[in-house]
Structure formats: C-alpha cells, structure tokens
C-alpha cells in the first residue's frame, strides 16, 4: 500500500496516531508484568491502519522519531492508570538506534510524562544493525545508563541473531511469533523455540514468547523454561481506555505444569478421582520413602517431594525454580551426564552413588532418571527418583563373598550367571542360557557359547575376556546373541575375577542380562495425564496404594505391575489376600500378610526397606527392596497406606570424585 508522505504529515497534524497496549504476563504465575506499546493509525478516510503498512513510509519520510515521541507521550500520559509495578515497552526502528539524539528524546518524553525510565524497555529488531554495531552499541549503552532495558525483538527471523545478541547489551529476548504459532504442531519450530529460550537463559536474559494464542502453547513454553508470554491468550492490543479493564483481569490463564490432558488408558486418572484420592496421591508423592522430583529442560526443580528435600538437606522452597547445580553443587558434576541422557530421551536407571561424595557419611543412593514427554513426544523434563540403598549394599557386600550365595543366585536369578576358569573357558552356566538361545548346555560350555554371538561381536567379546584375565579388571561387554527364535538380542555380560591366595586369578564370576528395553518405558510415559500421575506412573519404582476405609488396594502403578505381576490388583481385599511368594534373602518364605502394605494399613506402622526375593511370572527371581508406610490425611487420621517396591538392579556404579 502506497502511503504518501504528505498524508503522514497531515496525520501527525490531525493527531491520528495513538498507542495500543498489549499485556505481557509471567507464564509461571499468570501475573501481568508489562504492556507493549504498539502504534495505530486511525485514518480519517481509510479507518484503522496497522503498523506494518505505515512504519516503512514513516521511516522514509524522516518522521520516525516523531512517531516514537507521540507514542511515548501518549503512553506516559496514560501511565497513571498503571500501578507502579507495571512496565512499558516501546518499539524502535533499527535506524533509530543509530541516532545519537535518541537518548535525549526519550529523556525529554519521560520528564514530560513523569515516567521513570527504569520502567521502560526499548525493543529493536535485528534487521538493519549489521555493519553499524559500534554506533548502535554507544546509543544502547547510553539508554542503559538512563535505566532503560533493551529487548531484541523478533528473535530468530533475522540473519545475524547471534552477532547482535553478543554485541549489544540486551536484557530480553523476544521469540518471534512465527515459531510460537507452529510450535505445537511442528517439531522444528518447537526445537527452535527451545533453543532460543535456552540461549536467552544461558546469556542471563529474560525470554518472552510472542503470539501466544492457546493454552497448549503457553504450557509448552513454560516447560521449555520461557519467562513471559504475550499474545491473544492474554489480551489483544487495546487503547489506553481499556487499561483498567486489562489490569483487573484475574490471572486465570496461567500456564499449567501438567502435561496436556490426553485420553490415556492408565489406571489412575486424577480427574476422575474423588478429592480424597487426590490427597492420597499427594501424600504418597510427599511421603514416599523415595526422593522424587521433576526437573525441567533447564535442570530446574519444578516439583519435589519431602523426602528428596530431606536428602538434599534444604527445604523444598530452596529447590523450586533453582537448578540442580545450584542446589547440590558438589553432586551435580557426578549426575549431570545422566540427567542429560534422560533429556535426550534415554531412560537411565540403576545408577549408584555415594553421597555426600566428600563427607564422612556412608550413604549409598540408587538414582534413576526417566524422560517425561509431552503429547507430541518431545522431552519436557526428567522425573528423578533417589533411593537410599546403603543398608542393602552393606548386606550385599557381606553376602558377596560367599560362594553359596552365588550358587543360590545361579538357580534363582533372572539373569544368566556364568563362571569362567583361569583360561577363559566357561565351566558353569545357568540353564537359562539354553532357554534363551536353544543351545544345549554341554555345547555352550568351554568356548562353545561364542558360536551363538553375532559374528561382529565375537572378537570384541573375546578380547574383553582376555583383558580381564590379564589385568584383573572387571568385564563389562555387550554383544548380540541369536535367540531361539532366530532374532538377535543385545545382551550385557558383566563379571569380576576371583583371586587365589597368591593373587592369581582363579575364576571369573558374572552374569549375562538382556539389555533393558528402555524404549518401552519412554513410550509408556506419554500416557501421563497429570503431574502427580505422571510421577507415580513414570517413576521406576513400584507404588501400590491401599485405602484405609475398606482395606483394599486402590492403585497399582506400572512399575509395580511389572515387578509383581498381579500379586496386587485394584479392589483386592488385603485382609483376605496378602502377598504370596516373597522370600527373604535366605530363601525363607514370608507370610502373605507380613507385607509392608498390609502392615501399614492394619497397624499404621512403617516398615522397611527390606530386601526380598520374588519369583516372577517369567520364572526369574527379582531382588526387591520393599518398604511401606501409612498415609495420614489433613486431620491426622489414617486414610491409606503405600508400599514402594524397587528392583535392585545390577548397579551402574560411579565413583565419587
Ligand atoms: P512486534 O513488535 O513484533 O509486535 C507484535 C505484533 O504481534 C503486533 O502487531 C501485535 O498486534 C501482534 N500480536 C500480538 N499478539 C498476537 C497473537 O496472539 N497472534 C497474532 N497473530 N499476532 C499477535 P502489530 O500491532 O500489527 O505490529 C506490527 C509491528 O509493527 C510490530 O511487531 C512492531 O515491529 C512494529 N511497530 C509497532 N509499533 C511501532 C512503533 O511505534 N514504532 C516502530 N518503529 N515499530 C512499531
Ligand atoms: Ca515489539
Ligand atoms: Ca516481535
């Protein structure tokens, strides 16, 4: 559209330009923080004209400073309608940032309108600054010295974003609305938004998402760690008369930390639970003898339970919104890579860690990191579980030395235990090898088992054994095995040498296990319906909940079903059917009602964690850590009980530094 310079001059004379105000809100709380001033032209013949249609012509006619002055004067005149905490931001054309007179113009407006400049943000786009950065920088620094803040507008659409980001002292970064618009559908846009937000944060800038139109976008932005949102969801640009109305709007559009609702097929649907159930879930989360938390993509604590706060030695309030590095600086370097792996979508479990790494304590914890995904499958954050396994480790160490223990495990273990002699020949292996591969035991002994390996894996595996026999170091090797059904299956074999009286290796004891099918877990997580449910279903810890009123099981989470099959099912009356089959570590059977859940529900006592062996449906034996405790409602009366079951996986050990 061709707009004549004369027409623009006339429009100034006849006062046709005025500001519209659009709210910016804090995504986390829904709190209004600021209004952006957007120019409008109410043309006497043509009606409302939008800035994209007239800004270029105003620039060309040399009147752009006059437009800014008009916007600021009118906006400052309306400022008494704002309360004193609210900020304003104004758009400048990039050329204006090259004008050494600019700061003086802005100061003059602020003085006329009695508006403090530390409540003003100047927004510039990145388009035309290249080449003149040193001049722009001088003006920008002068504005900052006056108290103004500087925002980089339309970030991601220009051609030299990073250069500008670095060269000018920006406080804020505004993610362009084109990315926000498509982020809920397009993976690429989502990645761009995530990267921009991450970049802004790592440079210590506030991040703002433009063009937020839906709650789904707002939620996703919050998960990505974005600070502020602006868009039709919170309000369209409106004239000054509307400011009081916009300020009065309650912050009901606040983004939610819950993954967007999905029609899942999970057992617990928090929506459909009566209020008391919800309280139970909250109590489980809080009272579980396992430390639980959820971290967002920026490794900040979004939620955590009481147990974890205790373990970290700081109240929950000292965690929320802060990063893991800030809260546990000494442990962070040890665990960072596991969190990052989970953020890349890979569940990590069975990480064992001594903590505190430099203190006198002997606490051993087992850690697990599970990615949590949104409905589009993107990783939103990590669900973390931390369990104190010091007691188990001590027991285990005591047992470790005993050969009978090894024999015992040999018959019971779901893994395939094996023994090599000093020459590297297999002398004993569990019959499970035959079940798995179809290779008869007598053929597997010696070096025969190698024939079942994938040809590419034979040499690396043999080398790993030779190395171990030579150096005395443990073996840890992965290889593919041809299963009975002809499929290749990845297996992991680990073992450690036993030494004779003069230090020579006599044998190597070890186990083979299937490399855990971790994909499944990640996919299951997508069915999460709400944060609590997400945590309960996603933690690699079995959770079973019973109701005090009728002594029945009300919830069995996924991991509990996986570990215990249908030993516990919703509706089961604990007074009639306890838990059949678990034995203690010496193989002594436990009475059906001597389980921590029944105990807690009928006596109100906490118990465990204890280590139990449990025969699984697949014939294997799981080593479980089991504990339980009562749940009390707000009025201190027993409302239910929880049992936590944790599989003592072979640990992936990390050494304290
Ligand atoms: P901008 O700074 O990126 O402003 C945001 C634009 O997004 C505004 O368009 C606003 O109305 C629009 N918007 C806000 N929320 C939503 C939403 O949820 N969905 C969609 N689809 N759009 C939304 P507007 O008012 O047409 O302004 C266009 C551009 O004109 C602005 O882009 C800004 O760069 C420029 N501009 C506005 N006022 C001035 C001014 O006083 N001086 C200068 N130099 N440029 C200005
Ligand atoms: Ca803007
Ligand atoms: Ca913009």
């Amino acid at each position: 559209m061709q707009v004549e310079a004369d027409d623009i001059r006339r429009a100034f004379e006849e006062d046709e330009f005025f500001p519209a105000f659009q709210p910016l809100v804090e995504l986390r709380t829904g709190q209004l923080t600021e209004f952006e001033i957007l120019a409008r032209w109410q043309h006497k013949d043509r009606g409302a004209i939008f800035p994209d249609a007239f800004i270029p012509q105003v620039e060309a006619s040399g009147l752009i400073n006059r437009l800014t002055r008009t916007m600021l004067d009118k906006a400052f005149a309306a400022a008494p309608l704002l309360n004193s905490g609210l900020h304003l931001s104004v758009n400048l054309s990039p050329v204006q940032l090259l004008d050494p007179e600019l700061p003086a113009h802005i100061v003059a407006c602020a003085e006329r309108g009695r508006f403090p400049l530390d409540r003003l943000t100047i927004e510039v786009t990145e388009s035309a600054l290249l080449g003149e950065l040193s001049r722009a920088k001088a003006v920008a620094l002068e504005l900052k010295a006056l108290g103004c803040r500087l925002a980089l507008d339309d970030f991601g659409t220009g051609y030299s974003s990073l250069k500008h980001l670095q060269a000018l002292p920006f406080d804020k970064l505004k993610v362009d609305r084109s990315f926000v618009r498509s982020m809920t559908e397009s993976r690429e846009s989502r990645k761009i938004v995530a990267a921009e937000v991450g970049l802004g944060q790592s440079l210590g800038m506030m991040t703002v998402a433009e063009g937020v139109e839906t709650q789904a976008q707002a939620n996703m932005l919050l998960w990505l760690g974005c600070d502020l949102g602006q868009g039709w969801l919170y309000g369209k640009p409106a004239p000054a008369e509307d400011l009081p109305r916009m300020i009065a709007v309650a912050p009901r559009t606040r983004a939610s930390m819950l993954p967007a609702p999905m029609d899942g097929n999970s057992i617990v649907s928090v929506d459909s639970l009566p209020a008391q159930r919800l309280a139970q879930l909250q109590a489980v989360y809080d009272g579980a003898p396992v430390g639980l938390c959820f971290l967002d993509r920026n490794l900040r604590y979004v939620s955590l339970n009481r147990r974890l706060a205790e373990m970290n030695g700081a109240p929950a309030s000292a965690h929320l919104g802060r990063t893991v590095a800030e809260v546990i600086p000494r442990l962070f370097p040890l665990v960072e890579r596991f969190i990052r792996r989970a953020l890349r979508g890979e569940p990590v479990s069975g990480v064992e860690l001594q903590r505190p790494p430099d203190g006198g304590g002997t606490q051993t914890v087992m850690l697990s990191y599970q990615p949590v995904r949104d409905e589009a499958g993107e990783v939103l954050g990590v669900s973390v579980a931390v369990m104190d396994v010091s007691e188990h480790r001590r027991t285990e160490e005591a047992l470790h030395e005993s050969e009978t223990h090894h024999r015992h495990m040999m018959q019971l273990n779901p893994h395939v235990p094996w023994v090599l002699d000093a020459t590297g020949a297999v002398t004993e292996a569990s019959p499970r090898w035959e079940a798995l591969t179809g290779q008869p035991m007598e053929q597997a002994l010696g070096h025969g088992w190698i024939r079942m390996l994938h040809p590419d894996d034979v040499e690396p595996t043999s080398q790993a054994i030779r190395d171990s026999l030579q150096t005395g170091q443990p073996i840890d090797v992965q290889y593919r095995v041809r299963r009975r059904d002809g499929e290749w299956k990845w297996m992991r074999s680990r073992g450690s040498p036993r030494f004779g009286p003069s230090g020579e290796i006599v044998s190597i004891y070890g186990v083979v296990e299937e490399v855990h099918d971790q994909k499944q877990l990640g996919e299951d997580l997508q069915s999460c319906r709400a944060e609590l449910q997400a945590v309960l279903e996603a933690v690699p810890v079995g959770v079973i909940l019973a109701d005090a009123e009728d002594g029945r099981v009300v919830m069995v989470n996924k991991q509990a079903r996986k570990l215990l099959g249908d030993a516990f099912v919703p509706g089961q009356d604990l007074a009639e059917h306890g838990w059949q089959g678990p034995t203690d570590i010496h193989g002594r059977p436990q009475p059906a009602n001597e389980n921590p859940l029944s105990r807690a529900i009928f006596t109100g006592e906490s118990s465990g964690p204890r280590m139990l062996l449990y025969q699984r449906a697949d014939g294997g034996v799981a080593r479980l850590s089991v504990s339980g405790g009562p749940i009390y409602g707000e009025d201190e009366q027993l409302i239910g009980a929880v049992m936590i079951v944790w599989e003592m996986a072979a640990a992936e050990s990390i050494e304290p530094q």
Side-chain angles (χ1 to χ4, degrees):
M1 190 191 311
Q2 185 55 51
V3 182
E4 298 301 331
D6 286 348
D7 198 21
I8 291 172
R9 227 164 257 121
R10 184 202 53 75
F12 275 112
E13 297 311 316
E14 296 177 17
D15 201 21
E16 290 182 348
F17 294 104
F18 69 95
F21 296 83
Q22 188 177 31
L24 273 74
V25 306
E26 196 171 59
L27 288 165
R28 194 174 287 278
T29 58
Q31 201 84 48
L32 175 66
T33 61
E34 177 176 340
F35 286 100
E36 178 174 356
I37 305 165
L38 294 158
R40 295 290 178 265
W41 182 1
Q42 190 59 39
H43 193 280
K44 69 173 169 51
D45 305 322
R46 294 167 34 213
I49 308 177
F50 284 87
D52 290 335
F54 65 80
I55 297 288
Q57 281 76 10
V58 176
E59 279 175 6
S61 58
L63 292 169
I64 193 70
N65 280 338
R66 185 162 176 189
L67 180 72
T68 301
R69 210 160 53 232
T70 307
M71 289 305 114
L72 287 178
D73 281 342
K74 293 191 176 185
F76 293 162
L81 296 171
L82 309 173
N83 53 47
S84 59
L86 290 173
H87 289 229
L88 289 173
S89 54
V90 67
N91 292 281
L92 291 193
S93 293
V95 287
Q96 293 179 275
L97 204 59
L98 301 177
D99 178 358
E101 302 292 314
L102 176 77
H105 287 312
I106 290 179
V107 168
C109 291
E111 282 175 355
R112 268 197 301 278
R114 299 178 188 283
F115 191 83
L117 284 178
D118 60 1
R119 284 170 59 198
L120 183 70
T121 300
I122 310 255
E123 301 193 358
V124 280
T125 55
E126 49 192 326
S127 48
L129 295 171
L130 199 72
E132 314 243 33
L133 276 177
S134 58
R135 266 172 76 196
K137 189 171 181 181
V139 177
L141 287 173
E142 206 175 323
L143 290 169
K144 299 252 326 191
L146 292 169
C148 295
R149 271 161 240 196
L150 215 58
L152 179 53
D153 208 349
D154 300 344
F155 184 60
T157 58
Y159 48 90
S160 61
S161 321
L162 295 175
K163 190 155 185 142
H164 290 127
L165 261 188
Q166 194 198 21
L168 296 176
F170 289 110
D171 306 281
K172 248 186 208 169
L173 191 156
K174 298 189 78 171
V175 177
D176 189 67
R177 62 182 184 274
S178 56
F179 303 118
V180 175
R181 189 191 311 134
S182 45
M183 71 180 294
T184 45
E185 288 90 45
S186 149
R187 199 185 156 80
E188 280 66 39
S189 299
R190 194 156 52 238
K191 292 217 153 134
I192 290 172
V193 175
E196 290 188 1
V197 168
L199 183 63
Q201 280 183 336
S202 59
L203 295 172
M205 297 178 193
M206 189 88 145
T207 50
V208 186
E210 305 182 319
V212 182
E213 295 181 3
T214 66
Q215 189 64 48
Q217 290 165 339
N219 292 347
M220 200 173 269
L221 287 160
L222 181 59
W223 280 104
L224 294 177
C226 188
D227 302 302
L228 302 180
Q230 173 181 10
W232 296 346
L233 180 66
Y234 307 107
K236 293 196 173 180
E241 306 86 88
D242 286 4
L243 283 171
R245 178 189 56 78
M246 289 194 281
I247 292 168
V249 170
R252 80 198 133 64
T253 33
R254 109 196 168 92
S256 149
M257 294 312 291
L258 309 181
M262 246 201 98
D263 287 314
N265 43 5
S266 335
I267 288 201
V268 211
S269 148
V270 168
D271 285 351
S272 63
L273 284 172
Q276 194 207 22
R277 286 284 138 74
L278 192 59
Q280 286 181 344
L281 292 183
Q282 184 64 55
V284 171
Y285 184 55
D286 234 34
V290 179
L292 299 172
C293 70
F294 181 83
L295 303 175
D296 71 12
R297 294 199 56 90
N298 300 306
L299 276 53
R300 294 184 209 213
Y301 290 91
V302 171
S303 75
L304 74 159
N305 72 351
R306 212 181 296 144
R307 181 81 181 100
L308 189 72
E310 279 165 23
M311 285 173 156
N312 289 345
S317 57
H319 288 71
L320 295 172
R322 299 177 66 202
T323 63
V324 179
E326 287 165 348
V327 177
I328 45 169
R330 278 200 290 259
L331 288 172
F332 181 64
L334 300 178
V335 298
E336 181 180 5
R337 63 196 158 112
F338 301 108
I339 304 176
R340 301 237 179 253
R341 265 159 68 182
L343 277 177
R344 288 195 295 270
E346 180 196 347
V348 180
S349 53
V351 175
E352 200 176 299
L353 175 71
Q354 306 279 344
R355 62 179 288 175
D358 51 354
T362 51
Q363 193 188 32
T364 308
V365 291
M366 186 83 98
L367 301 163
S368 134
Y369 301 91
Q370 307 293 320
V372 174
R373 294 162 192 272
D374 65 13
E375 72 280 18
E378 282 304 306
V379 177
L380 294 171
V382 181
S383 168
V384 183
V386 185
M387 192 184 199
D388 189 341
V389 294
S390 318
E391 200 49 52
H392 299 315
R393 281 292 165 242
R394 280 194 283 275
T395 320
E396 261 208 329
E397 270 158 30
L399 280 171
H400 201 66
E401 293 312 305
S402 101
E403 298 263 298
T404 42
H405 172 59
H406 191 265
R407 290 258 149 68
H408 190 59
M409 295 309 286
M410 193 112 160
Q411 292 143 21
L412 296 173
N413 206 298
H415 303 155
V416 183
W418 46 258
V419 182
L420 298 182
D421 67 15
T423 70
V426 170
T427 55
E428 282 183 71
S430 147
R432 292 183 58 77
W433 178 262
E434 183 169 352
L436 180 80
T437 61
Q439 184 185 38
M441 191 48 65
E442 59 278 14
Q443 290 178 23
L445 294 178
H447 297 281
W449 62 282
I450 297 242
R451 283 200 296 277
M452 303 314 288
L453 266 52
H454 191 283
D456 292 349
D457 301 332
V458 169
E459 184 43 37
T461 307
S462 310
Q463 187 60 46
I465 294 172
R466 283 196 296 272
D467 286 350
S468 177
L469 287 169
Q470 215 160 51
T471 62
Q473 291 298 308
I475 296 180
D476 186 349
V477 61
Q478 298 200 6
Y479 48 73
R480 280 153 293 183
V481 150
R482 189 196 294 282
R483 279 199 319 214
R484 205 179 255 285
D485 59 8
E487 295 266 25
W488 293 107
K489 179 77 196 164
W490 277 103
M491 306 294 288
R492 180 174 185 186
S493 195
R494 282 177 288 184
S496 31
R498 294 297 156 101
F499 302 94
S502 47
E504 81 285 18
I505 294 174
V506 269
S507 52
I508 304 180
Y509 287 89
V511 291
V512 185
E513 64 190 307
E514 284 194 5
V515 174
H516 188 51
D517 190 3
Q518 294 170 322
K519 243 178 131 182
Q520 185 59 35
L521 250 178
E523 279 164 12
D524 291 347
L525 287 176
Q526 290 179 28
S527 61
C528 296
R529 189 160 179 145
E531 187 182 0
L532 276 175
Q533 182 190 347
V535 171
L536 289 179
E537 279 286 291
V539 287
V541 175
V543 179
I544 301 164
L545 208 59
D547 195 355
E549 212 158 288
D550 54 6
R552 287 177 189 272
V553 174
V554 289
M555 190 211 87
V556 183
N557 81 344
K558 187 174 312 209
Q559 184 68 4
R561 280 172 273 155
K562 194 169 147 203
L563 293 175
L564 305 182
D566 29 86
F568 291 93
V569 291
Q572 173 175 341
D573 186 344
L574 288 170
E576 285 181 15
H577 306 281
W579 180 17
Q580 306 282 349
T583 70
D584 68 11
I585 48 174
H586 308 289
R588 288 187 292 256
Q590 301 297 292
N593 283 317
E594 257 316 295
N595 65 76
L597 188 65
S598 303
R599 178 189 285 210
I601 203 85
F602 297 123
T603 69
E605 285 169 33
S606 299
S607 57
R610 289 186 64 197
M611 187 154 107
L612 295 177
L613 301 178
Y614 182 61
Q615 186 87 35
R616 291 201 292 222
D618 66 5
V621 166
R623 295 183 310 145
L624 302 177
S625 158
V626 182
S627 55
I631 301 170
Y632 292 99
E634 272 175 12
D635 46 2
E636 302 292 307
Q637 120 221 27
L638 186 74
I639 58 172
V642 57
M643 179 163 117
I644 302 289
V645 187
W646 175 283
E647 181 160 33
M648 303 283 300
E652 179 175 342
S653 232
I654 46 179
E655 295 301 322
Q657 284 171 339

